[in-house]
């Protein structure tokens, strides 16, 4: 776990270290290892289906069955974007603390942008779907590429307790 924390801190883009790294590392240190999971997926369209199964199984283990459909959809959209725009394997991570965070790491430094697709466009709706379903979402650069993440509220858990630092990755981005 300590190696993951160090790698995570090393991967933060230099402009975000001062505002996000301390709170994120503090959160990761408090989270039991069974509340964080990571999978490496091949750069293959079949990875989307595999990811949905991995997500469903882990959410069942965590007792979060009611979030499985939306989390599968969110992971599918983020992975599909990574497959389309980034080379090489993709990493999918789930983090369950006071919220459920889904992250997709890829090897492209280009940050995605939210756009509205035209009626006849066949692509371009993935991040719009993510922005409508997730509580909040955002991006951050890493040394090897980027992370696109989204966060869902876990029913019955206060997502913003008073005792935690409220700065989270991308909080200044897309919060409803």
């Amino acid at each position: 776990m300590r190696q993951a924390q160090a790698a995570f801190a090393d991967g933060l883009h230099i402009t975000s270290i001062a505002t996000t790294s301390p709170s994120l590392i503090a959160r990761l240190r408090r989270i039991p290892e069974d509340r964080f999971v990571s999978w490496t997926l091949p750069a293959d369209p079949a990875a989307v289906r595999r990811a949905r199964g991995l997500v469903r199984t882990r959410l069942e283990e965590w007792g979060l069955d009611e979030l499985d459909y939306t989390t599968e959809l969110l992971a599918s959209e983020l992975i599909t974007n990574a497959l389309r725009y980034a080379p090489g394997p993709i990493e999918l991570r789930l983090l369950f603390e006071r919220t459920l965070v889904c992250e997709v790491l890829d090897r492209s430094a280009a940050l995605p942008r939210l756009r509205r697709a035209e009626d006849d466009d066949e692509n371009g709706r993935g991040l719009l779907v993510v922005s409508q379903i997730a509580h909040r979402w955002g991006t951050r650069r890493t040394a090897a590429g980027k992370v696109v993440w989204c966060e869902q509220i876990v029913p019955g858990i206060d997502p913003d307790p008073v005792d935690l630092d409220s700065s989270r990755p991308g909080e200044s981005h897309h919060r409803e």
Side-chain angles (χ1 to χ4, degrees), residues 39-51:
W39 301 281
T40 300
L41 303 168
D44 178 347
V48 177
R49 182 177 65 193
R50 179 167 179 245

Side-chain angles (χ1 to χ4, degrees), residues 46-64:
V48 177
R49 182 177 65 193
R50 179 167 179 245
R52 285 192 301 262
L54 293 167
V55 165
R56 185 179 324 109
T57 300
R58 181 52 58 129
L59 292 183
E60 288 171 4
E61 291 172 12
W62 285 342
L64 299 176

